[in-house]
Amino acid sequence: MNTENEKVKVLIIGSGPAGYTAAIYLSRANLTPVLYEGLQPGGQLTITTDIENFPGYPQGVSGFEMMTHLKTQAERFGTVIRAGIATKTDLSTYPFKITIDNNKIIETEALIIATGATAKYLGLPDETKYMGSGVSACATCDGFFYRGKDVAVVGGGDTACEEAIYLAGLCNKVYMIVRRDQLRASKVMQNRVQKTNNIEILWEHQVKGLFGDGGVEGAILWKKKDTPQQEEVNIKIDGFFLAIGHQPNSAIFAEYIETDPIGYIKTIPGSSKTNIEGVFACGDVQDPTYRQAVTAAGSGCMAAIDTERWLNEK
């Protein structure tokens, strides 16, 4: 294994709105951060449809274009941006040691984790086929594009109920596709769903596939799959929303950093500080609640300011 060591002052892992915003602030403070883009350069926004809810873009902007703007802005002030994935960490000694692509070790005085979270998918080929053309994992991001149309939400937990209620305020009809014969969601959320007239729950249904010419036009479902009553059902929809959870990309830090049971990094409330001094977290990797570009960017700003102050105090 060809290992080489490099010493840096601040290392940022991840390149979504949180990582890039942290980089903009730190580079303007003359700290010349080094940022590794990770598995998905630009983060989840690069696979979303147009973004219309980020302040400052009255006409909307594609996720890819917005991330390109943020990257250019960070580079303009001196951020060193590199392709590469953090594959191993050692936060037990100082400076911290992060291995990139299994062969390069970076020693850093301060670390910002902005690795994001990955939406869970059913694993159907059609999800990939129609990604950005009817398939979404974020109702608040993409619901607006389906005003007055019929959509489906997959899932039976609190997130699925929240997404369905949100979409019901915009769409003509919302189907909830629920695998079991009951919702996993809290009683409060269940009651809200049942009181919403244009939500129809399809109990004991599972998704077989999607169909449509160039975009989603409908879903093929199994009703009571693997039982004598099994039948195939088609529904006409324009949008297909997955609400079966997110997986925060925190596994390589889990040995050292405190997380909640799902894996979201715990930060000290009102800050980006983790349980290890000098290690900060921002964006979706520490945010199970909002998961928006604008909140991720805000938390990236917090991480940069917390980092700068911590380094100054040292």
Side-chain angles (χ1 to χ4, degrees):
M1 192 167 74
N2 165 37
T3 53
E4 42 174 320
N5 280 35
E6 179 187 1
K7 288 183 167 61
V8 303
K9 201 162 195 71
V10 186
L11 178 66
I12 301 169
I13 305 174
S15 59
Y20 282 142
T21 302
I24 290 163
Y25 273 78
L26 288 166
S27 49
R28 287 185 79 250
N30 284 335
L31 287 167
T32 320
V34 171
L35 181 149
Y36 276 92
E37 292 179 309
L39 209 54
Q40 194 174 37
Q44 292 182 86
L45 283 184
T46 54
I47 58 162
T48 189
T49 31
D50 286 353
I51 299 161
E52 293 188 331
N53 55 5
F54 198 93
Y57 289 100
Q59 303 307 317
V61 62
S62 80
F64 182 80
E65 189 185 358
M66 188 169 120
M67 288 302 102
T68 306
H69 288 168
L70 286 178
K71 180 179 181 177
T72 306
Q73 194 172 354
E75 284 178 321
R76 178 191 156 201
F77 295 116
T79 303
V80 179
I81 295 175
R82 299 173 182 163
I85 298 158
T87 47
K88 194 176 160 212
T89 58
D90 181 359
L91 308 180
S92 63
T93 57
Y94 189 82
F96 309 116
K97 292 183 180 65
I98 311 296
T99 307
I100 304 290
D101 295 331
N102 291 317
N103 73 350
K104 182 186 178 90
I105 293 173
I106 306 249
E107 291 185 14
T108 183
E109 290 176 40
L111 174 66
I112 293 180
I113 301 167
T115 44
T118 307
K120 290 180 186 168
Y121 290 88
L122 297 169
L124 303 169
D126 288 344
E127 289 171 318
T128 315
K129 179 181 173 184
Y130 294 109
M131 183 59 67
S133 309
V135 171
S136 169
C138 178
T140 6
C141 314
D142 299 328
F144 191 71
F145 300 106
Y146 300 94
R147 280 167 304 167
K149 296 183 176 179
D150 296 348
V151 299
V153 174
V154 182
D158 276 352
T159 304
C161 289
E162 278 172 25
E163 305 257 289
I165 292 162
Y166 175 80
L167 289 165
L170 295 165
C171 302
N172 175 53
K173 175 153 196 167
V174 180
Y175 294 100
M176 278 188 81
I177 301 168
V178 182
R179 177 192 283 262
R180 296 161 52 184
D181 60 356
Q182 59 187 52
L183 293 170
R184 282 184 295 110
S186 61
K187 278 280 177 277
V188 176
M189 293 310 294
Q190 290 190 41
N191 291 340
R192 281 186 197 158
V193 163
Q194 275 146 7
K195 282 182 187 157
T196 309
N197 293 331
N198 59 339
I199 295 177
E200 182 183 338
I201 302 176
L202 302 175
W203 302 109
E204 295 181 83
H205 281 67
Q206 294 180 47
V207 184
K208 181 183 178 186
L210 301 167
F211 61 87
D213 186 13
V216 171
E217 290 171 14
I220 308 154
L221 312 175
W222 289 122
K223 183 180 180 180
K224 295 188 186 285
K225 191 173 186 236
D226 301 328
T227 72
Q229 294 85 37
Q230 175 178 308
E231 60 174 306
E232 199 176 283
V233 180
N234 282 12
I235 55 170
K236 277 183 68 63
I237 52 168
D238 301 290
F240 180 80
F241 290 85
L242 289 133
I244 51 175
H246 283 72
Q247 188 57 51
N249 304 320
S250 61
I252 63 164
F253 313 104
E255 192 184 332
Y256 309 99
I257 299 283
E258 272 181 39
T259 67
D260 74 3
I262 297 169
Y264 285 99
I265 291 175
K266 287 185 176 179
T267 49
I268 294 166
S271 82
S272 63
K273 296 169 185 173
T274 67
N275 60 303
I276 295 181
E277 274 205 23
V279 180
F280 306 88
C282 55
D284 286 12
V285 75
Q286 54 82 58
D287 174 17
T289 311
Y290 301 105
R291 295 196 302 264
Q292 297 298 302
V294 71
T295 49
S299 73
C301 162
M302 289 165 65
I305 292 172
D306 287 343
T307 302
E308 188 190 350
R309 285 178 182 162
W310 186 78
L311 287 167
N312 285 339
E313 281 162 19
K314 275 178 64 66

